[in-house]
Amino acid sequence: EEREETLSANLQEALDLAAYQKAEMEHMTRTATEAAEGADAQHAALSAELVAALADHEEQVAGLDDCMRQANDQHEQAVRKWEAKYASDVQRLSERCAALTAANNEAAENVQALEASLEQATELHSKMMAVMRASAEKAQDAALASAAEAAEEKRALEETLRAAGEAGVAA
């Protein structure tokens, strides 16, 4: 019974660990999704900034060549800024994705290990129950044999007492 309780506790601990790891994975997935949404918003903001710079450039083209060069320079700076930011975001998200993939793989390995442990625990429990059943059957057989012996001894003693009583009456 103590071993069964230990096995049950170990099984519960394994299940608790699996639930914790699942919650961690869900949290990491939500975090990655939020980061991707943030990157999309930044991308949209940078795109809007680029569109504004292009509009400014077109207005200045109608005027002076010098203003056109200035607007062109501003446009190129905005594009470089956007490209640098976008490349940085892509790199950061790629690293985060790789980390989440590694964590997911580790969690999958942990789940497989837990499933194997559960299978072993189940097999051990089944074997233990078979041994306990066999022991109980042997104990029951021994008790029945002992009861039969006691009944035989009681019958023999009753016969001896009856014979002694008859011998005493005859004397």
Side-chain angles (χ1 to χ4, degrees):
E1 184 177 326
E2 183 179 331
R3 182 157 174 84
E4 185 174 338
E5 288 175 8
T6 301
L7 286 173
S8 179
N10 288 343
L11 178 59
Q12 186 60 48
E13 183 178 334
L15 291 172
D16 290 347
L17 178 60
Y20 171 78
Q21 289 176 337
K22 180 182 177 190
E24 282 294 309
M25 284 303 301
E26 290 172 352
H27 173 71
M28 287 183 209
T29 300
R30 282 192 303 275
T31 302
T33 300
E34 290 169 4
E37 290 170 354
D40 286 345
Q42 289 174 350
H43 174 73
L46 288 173
S47 293
E49 183 179 329
L50 180 60
V51 168
L54 287 171
D56 184 47
H57 173 72
E58 288 175 2
E59 287 177 16
Q60 291 178 5
V61 165
L64 303 166
D65 285 343
D66 196 32
C67 289
M68 184 181 77
R69 279 189 295 276
Q70 183 182 4
N72 191 42
D73 290 345
Q74 289 175 355
H75 166 71
E76 288 175 4
Q77 288 175 3
V79 168
R80 282 193 298 275
K81 179 181 175 184
W82 178 82
E83 287 174 344
K85 178 67 174 153
Y86 183 76
S88 171
D89 288 347
V90 166
Q91 177 65 30
R92 187 174 48 81
L93 290 175
S94 293
E95 291 169 1
R96 183 71 176 147
C97 186
L100 289 173
T101 299
N104 185 48
N105 290 340
E106 182 180 339
E109 289 171 6
N110 288 340
V111 167
Q112 288 175 346
L114 289 172
E115 287 173 346
S117 294
L118 177 60
E119 186 176 323
Q120 289 175 349
T122 302
E123 288 175 16
L124 182 60
H125 179 260
S126 296
K127 289 177 183 177
M128 186 176 72
M129 291 304 291
V131 168
M132 289 172 61
R133 274 193 292 277
S135 294
E137 288 173 5
K138 285 181 183 177
Q140 184 180 13
D141 291 346
L144 289 174
S146 178
E149 258 183 55
E152 182 59 32
E153 285 178 14
K154 179 181 174 188
R155 189 190 58 72
L157 183 59
E158 286 174 349
E159 277 185 33
T160 302
L161 287 175
R162 210 177 6 254
E166 289 174 4
V169 171

